[in-house]
Each structure stands twice: as structure tokens, then as C-alpha cells.
Amino acid sequence: MANKKFFLLSGERSTLPQAELRAIVETYDDKAKFEIINERVMIVDGRFDLKTVLKRSAYANAGGNLLTHCKIEDAEKSIETIAFDEFMEDSVSFAAYIFNLSDQHLSEKMESIIGSAVKKRLPNAKVSLRNPQKIVIGIIFDDHLLLGFTDYMAKRIWKLRRPRARPFFHPSALYPKFARGLVNLSHVKEGDLLLDPFCGTGSVLIEASIIGINTIGIDVSMKMCRGSMDNLKHYMLESLGVINSDALMLPIKNVDAIVTDVPYGRCASSRGIKTMNLLQDFVLQADAIMPKGRYCIIVHPNTIELNNLDTFEVKERHEVYVHRSLTRAITVLRKR
Ligand SMILES: C[S@@+](CC[C@H](N)C(=O)[O-])C[C@H]1O[C@@H](n2cnc3c(N)ncnc32)[C@H](O)[C@@H]1O
């Protein structure tokens, strides 16, 4: 189990949570192996820092370094054999959290078994639900238990950055959780340079900046450029530049990733150019400024297919229902 970690994904009924986790892990270890247990649970065997992945993820609700994967009926025996003293100090404060995806009422029983097993190995360990140094974390699904430990529980407050909470609002703005997921799909690492060439109110720039990515935004509308900058400033973030320019005449030579949400409908003016034509021309531009192997994530209406893709491989396509007349497609391109 040395490098095995497990993750609990949010139940979005979409392919995005699994794809996002895969992309973040591959960013740090491209040889990691993935085992899909079910729609919400994944085991990953790889060399990466659990906390880094959990901190930047939009859709992984929790995770742990794997200690045991057993049947519920064997759980007590299995937990008793865990050497908690190998990764916890005797005076540690700890908590046990169980996420129960089954319909059996087992959480309390499991938490109490874990508490007793830890105390047996570490008599001076103290339970602290408020501020534990170590967390023993379990997921119950069907008749199975996955148990592990972590020192980080995700606490994300997306609502602080929802479009209406920002100083500059426009109805085309993306929700922060979705924007973070897009950034993560692009396989960017801390210090890389990400471009959003249709940046609007700056949702992608904000989420990328928070996780340590350098950003550049472009928008053909001066009002949007100013709004993006105001929004970044509001969260005490900075972009390397928000440039008032046409994305079809990119004033940039080299970027590590492109993440963008192209204009469509009345909300996001594309200055009379059809989204389809804009996209086709843009993909040619993107090709010129990206090194091989890098990712370009494009959000567009699902009624449109991307063409002109000779130098890009279409790695994935996801769909997210927004309302009756809009389902968003997310196309993940990788430069060949
Ligand atoms: C769908 S909105 C982007 C919304 C953004 N993701 C957000 O969360 O606020 C598309 C943006 O593309 C801009 N735009 C339209 N045509 C453009 C072009 N040719 N070059 C650059 N930006 C353009 C629009 O002004 C609009 O702000």
C-alpha cells in the first residue's frame, strides 16, 4: 500500500470529477495508476503529495493514504492490525471521519472501532474533532471499507468567489468550482504560465492564480479587461497581464496552457463572428504558441464540434448541463 491513496469525489453525475483528479495526479506523477472503484471513489497508486492534490482539486472532497481496503465484516480485525504508531506520535490529537455511501448505519460503530484501535497503540493520543493533527478517514461503500490517514481535510468556500460576490459582475461569468476544475484539467504546475484568451470577468485567472499559476488574460472588450483586473485585485491576486486585444491576433509567443470559455449567445459578445468560426480560427492561433504535449481546454456549447485539429489530439470531451438551452462541452486538447 506504500504509495496508494484513495479519494472521495463529489457526486456531480458528470465525468468531470474523475477527469480532474486524473489530470492533477498526472501533473505530479505521469506514471500513476488509477483504479476506479465506483463513480465517487478512486484509488491511485503514485508518488505525489496528497495534500497538494486535495488543496487544488475542485471535485475531490476528501482523501487519505491507504491503510486497508477490506470487507465490512472483516473491518474490526483489519483495523486492529494497523500500526497507527508508525505514522502518528503518541501524544497526537486525532479524529476519525467516516463517509458512508452505503445504506447501512455503520459510521458511529466504525469511528468507535478506530478510536479504540488508535488508543491501544498510542495510549496518550487524544481525540480532537476541532483541530486534529491526524485524521483517520474511511469510506464505506457497498459492503467495503477503505481506510487511510491524512493531515488535511478540504475546506473550500466557493461562495466567497461566486460571480455575484465579485466587484465586477457579468452574466457570462463561470462559477469558481467549475473554473478551478478547468484549470486542473490543463495539467498546469505551480509557476507555469496559463492563458485565458477570452477572459471575461476573470474566473479562470482567479482560480489559477490561487493555486500558484502565472496567468495572462485577453479580452476584446476593455470593460471586461478592467472588470477582470478589479476582480483579481479584490481577492488580492495578480495576473501577469490582462490585455485588451483580439484572441485571433494573439500578442503572446509562448504559454504552458490555455484554458478558456469561448463567447456564445447574447451574454458574451463575439463581435458578430460565429462561435464555430471563431473557434476554428482560434485553434490555429493556439497551436502557434504552445509547446508539444501541453493542454488547451476549451469550453463551448455542446452543439459545436471542434475542427482544424491536426496538431492537437482530442483527449477528452465532457458535458455539463447548465439549463434547457445550454449544455456546455469541455474539450480537452493536447498538442501533438
Ligand atoms: C463567455 S465570455 C467569458 C466569460 C469568462 N469565462 C468569465 O468567467 O467571466 C467570452 C468573452 O470573450 C470576449 N470576446 C469575444 N470575442 C473576442 C475576441 N475575438 N477576442 C478576445 N475576446 C473576445 C467577450 O468580450 C467575453 O468577455
Side-chain angles (χ1 to χ4, degrees):
M1 307 244 171
N3 288 316
K4 283 196 177 178
K5 283 115 178 143
F6 64 93
F7 294 90
L8 175 69
L9 303 175
S10 64
E12 311 269 322
R13 292 188 179 277
S14 134
T15 48
L16 266 186
Q18 283 187 3
E20 188 216 27
L21 179 63
R22 217 176 250 278
I24 306 176
V25 169
E26 284 170 356
T27 302
Y28 298 104
D29 179 4
D30 59 2
K31 293 190 175 59
K33 292 193 173 64
F34 300 86
E35 187 185 341
I36 296 168
I37 302 292
N38 62 38
E39 213 181 35
R40 294 194 59 192
V41 183
M42 251 167 122
I43 296 179
V44 187
D45 192 351
R47 291 176 184 278
F48 58 89
D49 179 48
L50 177 68
K51 185 171 172 179
T52 305
V53 172
L54 286 172
K55 266 183 112 170
R56 60 181 283 180
S57 171
Y59 299 105
N61 285 351
N65 296 290
L66 187 60
L67 292 168
T68 184
H69 180 184
C70 60
K71 286 242 181 189
I72 288 293
E73 64 205 46
D74 303 327
E76 191 161 359
K77 254 198 220 151
S78 182
I79 292 169
E80 277 169 6
T81 62
I82 294 173
F84 289 102
D85 44 342
E86 281 180 10
F87 56 91
M88 288 181 178
E89 307 212 337
D90 192 17
S91 57
V92 75
S93 61
F94 76 100
Y97 291 138
I98 297 290
F99 294 89
N100 190 354
L101 308 183
S102 79
D103 47 14
Q104 305 177 63
H105 297 287
L106 289 166
S107 303
E108 274 180 32
K109 183 177 168 202
M110 222 40 87
E111 282 164 6
S112 135
I113 293 173
I114 294 164
S116 310
V118 172
K119 288 288 229 173
K120 217 169 173 182
R121 301 260 177 177
L122 303 162
N124 295 317
K126 285 186 197 68
V127 174
S128 162
L129 297 180
R130 274 197 152 194
N131 203 11
Q133 291 162 309
K134 285 275 181 230
I135 298 155
V136 181
I137 182 167
I139 306 176
I140 297 173
F141 57 94
D142 305 328
D143 54 351
H144 284 258
L145 170 75
L146 277 173
L147 195 80
F149 70 95
T150 180
D151 46 20
Y152 179 79
M153 286 295 277
K155 287 184 210 101
R156 308 181 194 103
I157 313 175
W158 301 112
K159 66 178 182 199
L160 293 179
R161 299 192 300 282
R162 72 191 190 281
R164 289 274 182 197
R166 305 175 199 158
F168 176 73
F169 172 79
H170 188 273
S172 65
L174 297 177
Y175 275 77
K177 183 174 180 179
F178 181 63
R180 175 71 67 86
L182 299 175
V183 171
N184 284 327
L185 286 177
S186 77
H187 291 72
V188 275
K189 262 203 184 88
E190 296 79 355
D192 279 352
L193 178 59
L194 176 150
L195 168 71
D196 181 351
F198 301 94
C199 70
T201 65
S203 317
V204 168
L205 307 178
I206 291 171
E207 293 310 313
S209 302
I210 288 174
I211 58 171
I213 314 297
N214 293 316
T215 62
I216 294 188
I218 291 179
D219 204 289
V220 77
S221 148
M222 191 61 199
K223 190 173 154 202
M224 288 292 196
C225 290
R226 289 209 185 99
S228 254
M229 286 196 283
D230 287 349
N231 285 346
L232 281 157
K233 207 166 144 198
H234 181 72
Y235 297 105
M236 288 185 281
L237 300 167
E238 264 183 54
S239 174
L240 294 183
V242 178
I243 307 169
N244 182 213
S245 174
D246 188 334
L248 301 182
M249 291 185 280
L250 287 175
I252 295 167
K253 285 219 167 78
N254 216 329
V255 297
D256 298 307
I258 294 177
V259 176
T260 202
D261 166 32
V262 296
Y264 42 84
R266 268 176 297 143
C267 272
S269 158
S270 47
R271 305 251 155 139
I273 304 176
K274 278 198 172 147
T275 303
M276 177 83 131
N277 298 344
L278 187 78
L279 260 172
Q280 284 185 349
D281 290 349
F282 174 70
V283 169
L284 292 174
Q285 293 272 314
D287 175 43
I289 60 163
M290 288 182 73
K292 276 186 190 162
R294 290 301 196 153
Y295 286 80
C296 175
I297 313 300
I298 301 191
V299 180
H300 53 94
N302 75 335
T303 47
I304 290 175
E305 289 305 325
L306 296 189
N307 294 317
N308 266 357
L309 297 177
D310 301 357
T311 54
F312 282 99
E313 175 195 356
V314 179
K315 292 280 290 180
E316 293 163 13
R317 190 179 192 277
H318 308 279
E319 291 206 349
V320 173
Y321 175 85
V322 183
H323 51 69
R324 214 152 42 105
S325 46
L326 176 65
T327 294
R328 286 190 175 118
I330 301 127
T331 299
V332 177
L333 304 175
R334 189 174 190 201
K335 176 90 180 271
R336 288 184 208 272

